[in-house]
Amino acid sequence: MAHIRKNQRNLTGAEKKRFVAALLELKRRGVYDELVRLHVRHYRADGTGGLRTGHMAPSFLPWHRKYLLEFERALQVIDPAVTVPYWDWTTDNTPAASLWSEDFLGGDGRRSDGQVTTGAFAYATGNWTIDDGVLERTYLVRALGRPSSPIALPTKDELDWAMNESLYDAAPWDSTVARGFRNRLEGWAAGSGTARWRNHNRVHRWIGGQMLGAAAPHDPVFWLHHAFVDLLWDRWQRKHPKSGYLPARKLSAGDPQAGRAIALDEPMPPWRTTPAEMLGHRSLYRYET
Ligand code: CU
Ligand code: CU
């Protein structure tokens, strides 16, 4: 039977406790950091060449759907009742939201070094030591709203601009494409300052710390953010039932994006799973809305 993914704001105290406990156990077993490393290995920007699996690419949505499923299955090995909650950042859009409370994900980073000092993922607990491979910080960092140069979460208009686009994606299938639901939701934009970040990307910027880089899943909020992105894809599919994943066919050898963007029936490394196999999820899980 399909399990249910709930809005995090509707979780009971007991459900939050079990989710957090399963995360800590995954971390203790080394499975969590393995999942983070997988994300780092498959983060490839479009300026660098090679196959883009999860980012700046049409497979952004199916790749992360598969990635979340892997994470959720790992959690369920520890506690079969646990599922990935989603964070609707259009409604729970301030640092005062219960998402950031002591009994769930913990709060903002402190002023001096950005270190998160509250909740189960605070460094001082000894249970959430991080090797992010880049800045040699061993503690979880957040700067909610980026006080040094404030950035807001996506507005409803900005999300509508993505949701109302009926085309899934368009050539050149990367971070520069202005049309298409995928990049409007993933959120790479031209311009300067905060205008460069839309929707999904803007949420990463708003949180700061590890969420800014390829090692973003070190912050547990990553999963709740991406579960909402996954739900938005589902809503978009229902809104545009005639629109499908693109590119539908393998790009021809002469196409500059051949070997760089994944078509409907091509595998998404590190799995053999194709986007076509990830278009629906209702036999596996459902979102409670
Ligand atoms: Cu990602
Ligand atoms: Cu992301």
Side-chain angles (χ1 to χ4, degrees), residues 9 19 91 135 171 186 203:
R9 63 148 60 197
F19 178 71
T91 53
L135 298 170
E186 188 178 3
V203 175

Side-chain angles (χ1 to χ4, degrees), residues 39 42-43 54-55 60 63-64 67 186 200 204 213-214 216-217 222 226:
H39 191 269
H42 289 272
Y43 196 102
H55 308 89
F60 168 68
W63 191 92
H64 283 89
Y67 185 53
E186 188 178 3
H200 152 269
H204 280 270
F222 172 91
H226 271 274

Side-chain angles (χ1 to χ4, degrees), residues 190-243:
S192 59
T194 65
R196 289 159 59 210
W197 316 107
R198 305 275 164 81
N199 291 311
H200 152 269
N201 279 343
R202 180 169 278 266
V203 175
H204 280 270
R205 306 323 286 189
W206 186 85
I207 295 162
Q210 278 83 9
M211 280 289 274
L212 298 180
H218 274 310
D219 191 330
V221 77
F222 172 91
W223 309 102
L224 287 79
H225 171 35
H226 271 274
F228 186 55
V229 170
D230 190 70
L231 165 58
L232 291 171
W233 183 25
D234 184 273
R235 281 188 194 154
W236 179 84
Q237 286 174 316
R238 276 180 283 161
K239 198 175 160 116
H240 306 281
K242 293 198 178 101
S243 301

Side-chain angles (χ1 to χ4, degrees), residues 63-74:
W63 191 92
H64 283 89
R65 175 166 287 174
K66 176 69 178 169
Y67 185 53
L68 258 72
L69 276 169
E70 295 283 304
F71 167 67
E72 191 166 51
R73 281 172 189 152

Side-chain angles (χ1 to χ4, degrees), residues 42 44 52-57 59-61 63-64 186 262 269:
H42 289 272
R44 177 163 294 173
R52 301 185 308 281
T53 54
H55 308 89
M56 299 184 177
S59 46
F60 168 68
L61 291 162
W63 191 92
H64 283 89
E186 188 178 3
I262 293 171

